[in-house]
Amino acid sequence: MPKAIRQIRVEGNIAYVPLTLGYVAVIDAADVPLVEGLNWFAHPVGRTVYARCTSGRKKVYLHRFIMQPEDDMSVDHISGDGLDCRRSNMRAAQHRQNIRNQRLRATSTSGFKGVGWHKASGKWRADIRLDGKSKYLGLFLTPEDAHL
């Protein structure tokens, strides 16, 4: 006996896709015909949760299902919320562009991207990464100065 398909709730221009684990994904109401008829599941990846389903033997992410990017492209959630799959919150991006939009790492000691403690000098070190290359920016007395 096939499992019941969880029903999508539409409110105005927004639709809510129920997932497992108590999560809900948000999509544009116009995309409901594209995604209905499938059971979508919550798929935690680190500190982010995504919506995913299985179609045949293939695992499909909701954001890629909606955006249909080229195989070599990523889909970037502008807000950082992996469950906000409205087209206005997503863009096709190269992997290196997508990485620039990552949130601050949980292990950050400074509270800023690209700023870390330099133990040997007892100062805050600033680095920036562009096109796969790291550029040293200097040592600073405070993490705020290093961030600037």
Side-chain angles (χ1 to χ4, degrees):
M1 181 174 204
K3 288 186 178 182
I5 302 294
R6 291 183 287 278
Q7 295 301 304
I8 297 172
R9 186 177 86 245
V10 178
E11 293 180 10
N13 294 331
I14 297 176
Y16 300 91
V17 182
L19 309 174
T20 55
L21 306 175
Y23 288 99
V24 176
V26 180
I27 64 172
D28 294 312
D31 289 324
V32 169
L34 182 65
V35 304
E36 68 185 348
L38 297 167
N39 266 333
W40 295 90
F41 302 88
H43 181 71
V45 178
R47 294 186 299 165
T48 304
V49 179
Y50 297 100
R52 190 180 83 184
C53 78
T54 303
S55 178
R57 293 181 176 216
K58 192 174 180 182
K59 294 175 181 170
V60 181
Y61 285 96
L62 180 59
H63 56 276
R64 292 191 67 82
F65 194 75
I66 290 172
M67 294 294 289
Q68 296 290 309
E70 298 292 327
D71 289 341
D72 63 337
M73 297 293 279
S74 296
V75 175
D76 182 26
H77 290 83
I78 298 166
S79 69
D81 180 356
L83 295 179
D84 186 348
C85 295
R86 295 172 296 157
R87 290 179 185 267
S88 63
N89 185 51
M90 298 186 297
R91 61 181 168 219
Q94 294 176 340
H95 180 69
R96 69 176 186 229
Q97 293 169 318
N98 194 12
I99 288 174
R100 290 183 198 151
N101 195 27
Q102 284 182 344
R103 71 175 81 169
L104 184 65
R105 294 185 182 272
T107 57
S108 172
T109 56
S110 68
F112 299 104
K113 290 182 186 180
V115 178
W117 183 248
H118 188 256
K119 192 173 183 178
S121 68
K123 294 182 180 179
W124 294 95
R125 177 186 171 121
D127 294 278
I128 192 166
R129 195 163 182 85
L130 185 60
D131 295 330
K133 296 180 183 176
S134 186
K135 176 75 174 162
Y136 170 73
L137 299 176
L139 296 171
F140 302 86
L141 295 175
T142 68
E144 293 79 12
D145 288 343
H147 173 68
L148 292 174

